[in-house]
Amino acid sequence: MKNIKIKIDNIDLVVPEGTTILEAAKKVNINIPHLCYHPDQAIKANCRLCVVEVAGSKKLTASCSSYVFEGMDVQTNTKKVRDMQKGILELILANHDQDCLKCLRNGNCELQALCQRFNISKTNLEDTVDALPLDNTNPSLVRDSAKCVKCNRCVDACQKGQEVHVLTHSHRSIHYNIAPAYEMPLEETFCVFCGQCAAVCPVGAIVEKDDTAKVWDAIYDSDKHVIVQVAPAVRVALGDAFNLPKGSIVTGQMVAALRRLGFNHIFDTNFTADLTILEEGNELIKRVTEGGTLPMITSCSPGWINFIEGRYDHLLDHLSTCKSPQQMFGALSKSYYAEKAGIDPKKIYTVSIMPCTAKKYEANRPEMVTNGVQEIDAVLTTRELARMIQSAGIDFTGLEEDQFDNPFGIGTGAGAIFGATGGVMEAALRTAYEVITGKGLPSLNFTEVRGLEGIKESTVHIDGLDLKVAVAHGLGNAKVLLKQIDKGESPYHFIEVMACPGGCIGGGGQPIKSTMDVKQKRIDAIYQIDADLPLRKSHKNPDVMKLYDEYLGEPLGHKSHELLHTHYHSRGMKYNFGELTK
Amino acid sequence: MSKTVSIITENFGKYDPSSIDSYLSIGGFSAVKKALAMSSGEIIEMTKKAAVKGRGGAAYDTGRKWAQAASVKGDEKVVICNADEGEPCTFKDRSIISKDPFRLLEGMIIAGYTVGAKNGYIYLREEYRHLKPLLLNAIQESKEKGYLGDNILGSGLSFHIHLYSGAGAYVCGEGSTLIESIEGKSGRPRIKPPFIKECGLFQLPTLVNNVETLAIAAAFIQHGVEEYLSHGTPDSPGTKIISLAGNVKNPGAYEIPFGLTLREIIYDIGGGIPDGHELKLFQLGGASGKVGDASILDTPYTYEALAKQGLVVGSGGILVVDDRTRVIDFVKSVQDFFIHESCGKCTPCREGNRQIAKIIDRFVDGDQRQDDLQTAERFANIMKNCAFCGLGETAQSTLLSAINHFPEEFGLEVAASEKH
Amino acid sequence: MNSTKPNGFGVLTSDLVLKIDGIIQTYESNSTRLVGILLDIQDIVPKQYIPREVASYVSEKMNIPLSKVYDVISFYAALSDVPRADYVIQLCDSVVCKVTGNTILRDAITELLGIKEQEATADGKYWLEYTPCFGACDISPAMRINGKVFGHLTTQDSVKAALDLYK
């Protein structure tokens, strides 16, 4: 790799061939302004904010898409450059809803930050916000075209990242817009509500549906018994919102904050993650030994469920019938817990804190009902929880650590790793191995299924059975495995699929600016939690054992089926063209 | 019409464009035969000698472009004939396609042979769909007679031509955008680098040439460059088909030698302004071109002389506007064009056009605000400097040059000596 | 719960599906030919447009995401996602035709057909749209009807004569 000598703002530096001006500038602590650039995505070069002066060129040069050459002389802050950048920002603002106080991204918005940097506000340009109607009819996401800066980050996430291909740019010139085909609301498309679009949006054009008001109301309602469960991926990400180092483990403070917010009890979703392993592990063993549909595919990722129910609805039998940990908890909260606490299920308000926007959709499913009431009453993303804590004036970093409550307070390391891609698989293997062989595992670490590679494979030898497993994260990778199944060529017994790249720690509801670097830190933190816990196997969770003894009976038993298992159905969004060509 | 010549247009009206036999009877395909007997290097030398600047408007030397394309490594190369001709007041390519389609095919075959491409693509604008059957027939008949396909005339050369249709987008006249369209996508220009000549259509090394450029190549391969070079000026040798239209008595596509003055073109060839009206302005090179006025009518039509006046040859369009049209209305119709044609993906062009259009509308109605002109100029400059592609960069050329030539129409007071 | 089924098949009939299949087959279902395929399909869809059900059919048949198909339909001016008419009249509204004076032509259409831009006649026969330059500047003022060019339209009679060919 050749090394190239260049000058940026009169500073000499040497960078490898193939470095862009934008990247080179970062190396000498210069942040060239940009909006459409995202380190995990393809270069787009359409906002034109990153223009710089390059000696020898009459026009300005976009630094995100231009590569260094020997002797290149770049100026990033000349009067001409700054005037142009200010002008471009003014153009964006003139077609942008400037009612920041009402926006969920107020204070956490890249456009605001840029305007502040250049000291820009309303200009002499005519405000002409040319927008499509608000799209807020689905439970998970809100799209507000009036705030869209047309950077195309969401399009990249939906098309190249997730390969769902719902969002696209369309029309041209002043009608250019980002929307689904025929400007349909997301609810009428194959959108899986994974929220990867919201996770990369620089402004408030795509945000999570905010359910904090609902939850505040429930907490104020003396008639309601409000309990909350928290997903494994939240505790390694929540700290981002309070300026703690990325990947900080903030479990204790998180519980303390929830306590202060006024929840009656605070529970750990890791508990039901363990429970899921008991059910799903036994389900897998049953399918393998009794000739059930294989490969079996995990079912805890609602974005993934939406995907397969939409596009591959002929393969639904491959899904595990287990509900997700969120929903298993919800079901128990309105049955087992209600009975144990002596409270009418109708008065129990169950909230879940999730890294995920699709969980809101999942909670809303008509089949997710137990004892006549919805299992989960509200889902808050990590971002919403952060806002609630800030809104309540709680000084998060100063809190003394607190602990989850009984009877759903204990989660093993196996439950904790659900938050990372490969975690469900590893947790299942830890239990399946010991249940089948009756022996202890030499090592609990199945490292072959860990890490950020799109598709991971492993073969585990369990008493003469060569269990072939695969792990996919990101729906594009899931598609590869599904196509294999379609062709009858899948070599696997068991597949874990997480819709979001990185797994739940990279979910669409996590704090903004979760780049791949940040995701790696969260994954490291998750496996640290696992390594530090005294209990690391789901079948050793004493409270899970108690639950079976006291209430459920045995895995896959009658009670389990009633409460902890579900069924799937086609989303019915495809035209049945076959009827026309009969 | 003695001021026109016929080298590029020599076959117009001389044969039935729907019949290869008719074309062959006037010596058609002799250019291909001659080319196949030459080496690629020899053809490039001839092309360099002819000094043909790309006729789509970019004016890049064709000899140099072919030399670069030939030197790119790769077995699978592609030649594209840009028949998108979307620049307003430009219809020369239409004339070539409708009257001499076989010569165009010859030009493509010669280009393919020279640079080492096995496939050629004609991108025909949708507005010329009535010419599609003619072109398809020409391709089919050429295949049948062995001038296209595998092993052309026993030379071992393989060259196939495919016809793709545009669908009403001026921006698809730009090379990378055209390629996106042939790949079945919407027309949004590509980031460069990588450049088309290395990574173009289907990621293959691609040569894009205008219809007229390819026709000229066939002409001078057929007859040699001497006759072509006997016309024009030392700096702008040869001939060009101009598209003359607007307020002239005789609008049309005419082949002229470089060096005729604008006066000769507009008044002798064009017959002057009808109904006793006076020339107000003219626009050269289509909607993205700057305007000029009567004071420079004696400028010779050459690349250099026009450049000295801040004008370009461009696509060869010459739009004549008389005193019946207000300058501001003219500017508005150009702005309307770009609002319609911008692809919309980059901020300066999309939002710049949007805002400047509003300002121009106020000027049209006579209720412009005090800072409107300054604002329009400011954002026109931002577009010029920061837009993603040539469309955004040149969309405000008309406005800026109109302000320069006709400041009083924009409410600017100018001393008589300052006005140019 | 999300269970919005598409309502019926809209303009798609078995007959039309067969014809669409034929078009796609002519281009060997080559996804690079999408623009040309959609233009040919638009020619045979009543009212000359591409509704959602047709786009979905092409999307499925050619294995191209619907969003990409819609991006193409919405981007290109020659493709319409709203119903037009049996005969699409396109008036050049660019610089040259404006300068040579196309007001007579515009007024003639309004008088003879009673429609304005982006409107169809009540009987669904004619649709009017303004388009940029289509290279007929030397015979300006000009219009196209279903792709055929008519020029020198300086009188209402000449306009009527052209329209009369499309009854």
Side-chain angles (χ1 to χ4, degrees):
Chain A
M1 179 78 49
K2 234 169 67 177
N3 273 335
I4 312 260
K5 272 208 277 274
I6 63 171
K7 239 201 205 121
I8 299 186
D9 291 353
N10 303 323
I11 303 166
D12 290 307
L13 69 150
V14 178
V15 288
E17 190 180 25
T19 308
T20 62
I21 302 176
L22 188 75
E23 291 164 342
K26 276 227 181 81
K27 296 194 190 218
V28 283
N29 303 94
I30 298 171
N31 286 326
I32 298 177
H34 56 269
L35 207 45
C36 64
Y37 171 79
H38 189 286
D40 297 336
Q41 294 185 346
I43 298 169
K44 300 168 208 70
N46 60 47
C47 72
R48 312 310 284 176
L49 268 170
C50 68
V51 288
V52 293
E53 278 194 60
V54 175
S57 179
K58 262 182 279 175
K59 291 192 287 247
L60 295 183
T61 307
S63 55
C64 66
S65 59
S66 305
Y67 298 93
V68 299
F69 56 76
E70 188 67 32
M72 194 185 221
D73 187 354
V74 180
Q75 293 290 336
T76 70
N77 269 318
T78 62
K79 180 168 191 321
K80 182 175 183 189
V81 167
R82 290 176 65 84
D83 280 347
M84 298 276 158
Q85 289 168 336
K86 284 186 214 165
I88 294 172
L89 280 171
E90 287 176 39
L91 284 174
I92 296 175
L93 269 188
N95 190 3
H96 187 91
D97 179 353
Q98 290 175 53
D99 197 355
C100 294
L101 292 179
K102 277 216 219 104
C103 178
L104 282 186
R105 294 288 297 269
N106 188 22
N108 190 8
C109 163
E110 291 184 44
L111 183 61
Q112 274 184 334
L114 285 164
C115 287
Q116 188 175 38
R117 179 172 162 170
F118 287 96
N119 199 18
I120 301 210
S121 62
K122 201 163 149 55
T123 69
N124 68 336
L125 287 175
E126 206 170 287
D127 284 350
T128 167
V129 182
D130 187 7
L132 298 169
L134 189 72
D135 177 7
N136 64 351
T137 54
N138 68 79
S140 298
L141 297 165
V142 179
R143 281 191 325 113
D144 188 352
S145 228
K147 297 176 187 165
C148 180
V149 298
K150 287 121 181 135
C151 64
N152 275 276
R153 283 191 193 170
C154 59
V155 174
D156 193 292
C158 191
Q159 291 191 7
K160 295 214 193 92
Q162 292 291 61
E163 296 187 39
V164 171
H165 289 283
V166 164
L167 290 174
T168 179
H169 46 65
S170 55
H171 298 277
R172 62 184 202 215
S173 188
I174 58 180
H175 306 293
Y176 180 83
N177 243 308
I178 312 287
Y182 290 91
E183 284 88 33
M184 294 186 277
L186 287 175
E187 206 177 34
E188 290 177 32
T189 68
F190 281 107
C191 173
V192 301
F193 306 104
C194 66
Q196 287 305 305
C197 49
V200 293
C201 183
V203 296
I206 308 186
V207 293
E208 65 278 11
K209 184 154 252 173
D210 188 287
D211 286 320
T212 53
K214 253 169 62 172
V215 175
W216 278 122
D217 283 346
I219 292 176
Y220 295 144
D221 189 344
S222 50
D223 227 14
K224 287 208 162 63
H225 179 86
V226 188
I227 60 176
V228 63
Q229 56 160 326
V230 193
V234 179
R235 65 205 69 184
V236 296
L238 185 61
D240 285 14
F242 302 98
N243 292 321
L244 291 169
K246 305 278 193 253
S248 297
I249 301 170
V250 296
T251 317
Q253 290 152 308
M254 181 180 74
V255 177
L258 286 163
R259 189 85 61 197
R260 298 241 187 144
L261 283 173
F263 289 98
N264 289 98
H265 282 108
I266 297 140
F267 297 121
D268 192 344
T269 312
N270 292 11
F271 169 86
T272 35
D274 284 330
L275 182 62
T276 305
I277 291 299
L278 267 299
E279 293 291 322
E280 196 155 340
N282 279 286
E283 188 188 4
L284 175 65
I285 292 170
K286 191 162 184 233
R287 285 202 201 184
V288 169
T289 53
E290 291 177 23
T293 309
L294 291 177
M296 187 171 96
I297 317 180
T298 58
S299 54
C300 47
S301 167
W304 151 243
I305 298 296
N306 290 338
F307 182 75
I308 190 176
E309 281 183 339
R311 292 249 185 237
Y312 290 88
D313 50 0
H314 55 287
L315 296 177
L316 296 178
D317 288 340
H318 287 271
L319 291 169
S320 154
T321 55
C322 289
K323 286 180 179 168
S324 65
Q326 162 175 280
Q327 296 301 141
M328 284 199 185
F329 181 92
L332 290 176
S333 74
K334 307 293 170 94
S335 55
Y336 173 68
Y337 176 77
E339 287 168 38
K340 218 172 148 97
I343 307 175
D344 178 4
K346 290 199 198 58
K347 294 211 164 138
I348 298 179
Y349 194 90
T350 309
V351 178
S352 61
I353 316 287
M354 292 283 145
C356 172
T357 47
K359 284 289 177 197
K360 293 180 190 261
Y361 183 96
E362 184 184 46
N364 234 1
R365 284 179 174 247
E367 65 269 23
M368 298 298 184
V369 156
T370 288
N371 283 333
V373 290
Q374 210 71 21
E375 290 162 359
I376 299 288
D377 296 289
V379 176
L380 296 178
T381 57
T382 313
R383 298 198 286 268
E384 287 162 276
L385 176 61
R387 288 201 293 274
M388 271 184 91
I389 294 172
Q390 284 157 344
S391 178
I394 298 170
D395 179 5
F396 186 81
T397 49
L399 289 172
E400 233 178 78
E401 294 186 14
D402 195 347
Q403 284 183 318
F404 289 111
D405 300 326
N406 287 328
F408 306 126
I410 299 181
T412 69
I417 58 178
F418 264 54
T421 164
V424 179
M425 179 59 70
E426 189 168 340
L429 290 172
R430 290 180 190 176
T431 291
Y433 184 92
E434 293 198 357
V435 165
I436 295 175
T437 64
K439 287 185 253 174
L441 269 166
S443 159
L444 286 177
N445 297 334
F446 288 84
T447 52
E448 276 191 326
V449 299
R450 299 187 185 187
L452 284 172
E453 217 185 295
I455 299 179
K456 296 160 279 184
E457 296 179 295
S458 187
T459 308
V460 184
H461 311 286
I462 307 183
D463 251 12
L465 167 67
D466 273 349
L467 195 72
K468 283 190 155 57
V469 302
V471 172
H473 57 118
L475 290 170
N477 292 314
K479 236 196 266 188
V480 172
L481 297 179
L482 282 174
K483 287 196 177 136
Q484 257 184 343
I485 297 175
D486 247 345
K487 284 203 216 141
E489 289 171 4
S490 180
Y492 308 110
H493 295 93
F494 190 32
I495 299 176
E496 175 204 294
V497 175
M498 292 295 156
C500 295
C504 306
I505 49 88
Q510 293 285 58
I512 298 297
K513 298 224 179 126
S514 300
T515 57
M516 274 305 168
D517 283 347
V518 172
K519 289 182 193 183
Q520 185 60 58
K521 294 203 170 82
R522 289 183 191 153
I523 290 177
D524 293 340
I526 289 257
Y527 286 109
Q528 190 62 50
I529 293 177
D530 168 40
D532 290 343
L533 277 170
L535 297 167
R536 301 181 64 202
K537 302 175 233 183
S538 299
H539 54 284
K540 297 289 193 206
N541 185 326
D543 285 349
V544 170
M545 296 298 103
K546 198 160 150 206
L547 177 64
Y548 277 107
D549 284 339
E550 271 183 19
Y551 194 75
L552 291 174
E554 46 174 20
L556 305 182
H558 174 76
K559 201 97 185 183
S560 289
H561 263 293
E562 196 189 301
L563 294 172
L564 309 177
H565 289 257
T566 184
H567 53 274
Y568 309 99
H569 42 262
S570 165
R571 286 174 76 181
M573 316 204 73
K574 291 195 257 174
Y575 286 92
N576 191 0
F577 291 121
E579 274 176 40
L580 275 176
T581 51
K582 270 198 221 137
Chain B
M1 297 295 127
S2 59
K3 303 214 168 173
T4 59
V5 291
S6 70
I7 298 185
I8 314 172
T9 58
E10 65 180 325
N11 294 335
F12 284 19
K14 297 277 177 21
Y15 76 95
D16 173 5
S18 66
S19 156
I20 193 172
D21 289 325
S22 181
Y23 186 60
L24 289 167
S25 75
I26 60 156
F29 281 104
S30 55
V32 166
K33 290 199 186 95
K34 285 206 175 119
L36 290 177
M38 296 163 72
S39 71
S40 161
E42 285 168 337
I43 296 175
I44 290 172
E45 277 318 300
M46 245 182 122
T47 315
K48 280 189 176 157
K49 214 164 147 208
V52 179
K53 291 204 162 97
R55 296 299 169 90
Y60 194 75
D61 180 69
T62 307
R64 224 184 2 184
K65 202 174 189 183
W66 283 14
Q68 285 172 354
S71 68
V72 170
K73 291 203 189 12
D75 302 317
E76 294 284 330
K77 293 188 200 173
V78 156
V79 168
I80 294 181
C81 166
N82 186 343
D84 196 50
E85 194 164 64
E87 200 67 73
C89 196
T90 311
F91 39 92
K92 61 176 175 76
D93 294 340
R94 187 203 81 204
S95 307
I96 296 173
I97 295 170
S98 60
K99 297 191 183 148
D100 199 357
F102 287 99
R103 176 164 262 183
L104 171 60
L105 299 188
E106 279 203 84
M108 283 183 79
I109 298 167
I110 293 168
Y113 171 66
T114 308
V115 308
K118 294 204 196 92
N119 284 290
Y121 294 81
I122 300 178
Y123 185 76
L124 182 69
R125 66 180 310 208
E126 186 275 337
E127 293 84 342
Y128 292 171
R129 70 189 313 199
H130 55 288
L131 299 175
K132 205 168 150 194
L134 194 66
L135 264 178
L136 283 175
N137 176 67
I139 295 170
Q140 183 57 30
E141 287 193 331
S142 303
K143 244 197 287 201
E144 283 162 10
K145 285 272 189 324
Y147 294 102
L148 279 175
D150 299 316
N151 199 11
I152 295 175
L153 301 181
S155 67
L157 170 70
S158 269
F159 195 70
H160 300 261
I161 294 184
H162 318 270
L163 181 59
Y164 271 73
S165 182
Y170 163 83
V171 69
C172 288
E174 190 269 339
S176 69
T177 317
L178 193 161
I179 285 172
E180 287 286 291
S181 190
I182 296 184
E183 289 187 3
K185 303 176 234 173
S186 60
R188 326 271 180 193
R190 286 184 181 179
I191 299 177
K192 303 177 191 87
F195 294 95
I196 299 173
K197 65 172 182 250
E198 272 123 24
C199 175
L201 182 61
F202 310 134
Q203 315 303 311
L204 302 169
T206 304
L207 169 72
V208 181
N209 273 135
N210 175 261
V211 168
E212 188 188 351
T213 309
L214 291 166
I216 299 176
F220 66 66
I221 296 284
Q222 184 172 347
H223 301 296
V225 292
E226 288 69 29
E227 208 212 320
Y228 177 75
L229 291 176
S230 73
H231 301 278
T233 69
D235 302 310
S236 292
T239 67
K240 166 116 191 69
I241 308 180
I242 55 164
S243 307
L244 180 64
N247 300 126
V248 281
K249 290 201 183 112
N250 310 317
Y254 303 104
E255 184 180 354
I256 58 160
F258 280 110
L260 282 188
T261 64
L262 291 166
R263 189 185 300 278
E264 288 175 288
I265 294 171
I266 295 173
Y267 291 93
D268 295 340
I269 298 178
I273 320 274
D275 304 328
H277 289 278
E278 294 289 315
L279 175 71
K280 184 99 168 251
L281 61 87
F282 52 85
Q283 186 179 45
L284 299 187
S288 54
K290 300 198 177 108
V291 301
D293 60 36
S295 66
I296 54 169
L297 274 175
D298 293 305
T299 311
Y301 192 81
T302 66
Y303 289 97
E304 299 68 26
L306 289 174
K308 282 206 188 88
Q309 304 294 344
L311 297 167
V312 294
V313 167
S315 62
I318 302 176
L319 171 58
V320 179
V321 181
D322 69 26
D323 47 39
R324 282 174 287 186
T325 301
R326 290 192 305 164
V327 171
I328 192 59
D329 289 325
F330 178 77
V331 166
K332 176 171 162 61
S333 54
V334 171
Q335 179 64 76
D336 285 348
F337 175 74
F338 284 109
I339 287 261
H340 195 270
E341 296 302 331
S342 162
C343 83
K345 88 170 194 183
C346 83
T347 309
C349 182
R350 182 186 68 243
E351 302 300 333
N353 272 321
R354 193 199 303 263
Q355 293 293 341
I356 295 176
K358 285 186 193 299
I359 292 175
I360 291 176
D361 281 346
R362 284 201 284 274
F363 271 101
V364 166
D365 293 336
D367 50 29
Q368 62 270 27
R369 303 179 193 156
Q370 225 184 11
D371 54 0
D372 265 350
L373 188 62
Q374 200 184 34
T375 309
E377 280 181 304
R378 177 172 170 232
F379 287 100
N381 273 309
I382 290 176
M383 286 173 66
K384 198 161 90 165
N385 275 284
C386 306
F388 188 98
C389 81
L391 188 154
E393 285 165 12
T394 58
Q396 301 302 333
S397 301
T398 305
L399 172 69
L400 289 172
S401 73
I403 294 173
N404 194 26
H405 280 269
F406 304 96
E408 66 286 349
E409 301 244 1
F410 294 89
L412 289 174
E413 282 170 25
V414 171
S417 56
E418 267 180 21
K419 181 181 171 204
H420 176 221
Chain C
M1 177 56 209
N2 188 343
S3 58
T4 326
K5 258 196 171 65
N7 287 333
F9 295 109
V11 312
L12 277 176
T13 57
S14 329
D15 205 46
L16 190 58
V17 164
L18 273 168
K19 292 204 181 103
I20 291 175
D21 283 346
I23 291 171
I24 294 176
Q25 235 167 14
T26 318
Y27 292 99
E28 290 163 358
S29 200
N30 182 350
S31 63
T32 68
R33 291 282 188 180
L34 182 61
V35 175
I37 289 174
L38 287 171
L39 279 169
D40 285 356
I41 291 176
Q42 185 175 253
D43 282 343
I44 59 168
V45 171
K47 302 292 174 253
Q48 297 198 62
Y49 72 124
I50 313 267
R52 180 174 149 189
E53 58 270 22
V54 173
S56 300
Y57 184 77
V58 173
S59 157
E60 228 161 278
K61 192 88 190 185
M62 296 184 65
N63 203 19
I64 303 171
L66 179 63
S67 55
K68 277 208 158 82
V69 177
Y70 182 67
D71 184 26
V72 167
I73 295 170
S74 62
F75 174 83
Y76 291 100
L79 290 170
S80 177
D81 61 347
V82 295
R84 298 188 292 177
D86 305 335
Y87 307 119
V88 172
I89 303 167
Q90 292 170 318
L91 284 194
C92 175
D93 203 34
S94 266
V95 197
V96 185
C97 284
K98 276 237 173 75
V99 151
T100 56
N102 64 355
T103 6
I104 293 182
L105 170 53
R106 291 162 70 146
D107 293 343
I109 302 273
T110 315
E111 269 179 56
L112 290 167
L113 297 178
I115 48 176
K116 292 199 293 283
E117 199 207 344
Q118 297 287 314
E119 279 182 7
T121 51
D123 60 6
K125 275 232 171 73
Y126 304 97
W127 165 273
L128 177 63
E129 40 187 60
Y130 293 163
T131 60
C133 179
F134 45 83
C137 321
D138 49 347
I139 57 175
S140 159
M143 73 174 170
R144 297 169 82 202
I145 305 179
N146 275 10
K148 191 169 148 80
V149 184
F150 296 90
H152 299 301
L153 298 168
T154 49
T155 65
Q156 201 187 80
D157 284 340
S158 57
V159 177
K160 186 163 188 309
L163 287 174
D164 281 346
L165 297 171
Y166 295 87
K167 282 251 156 74

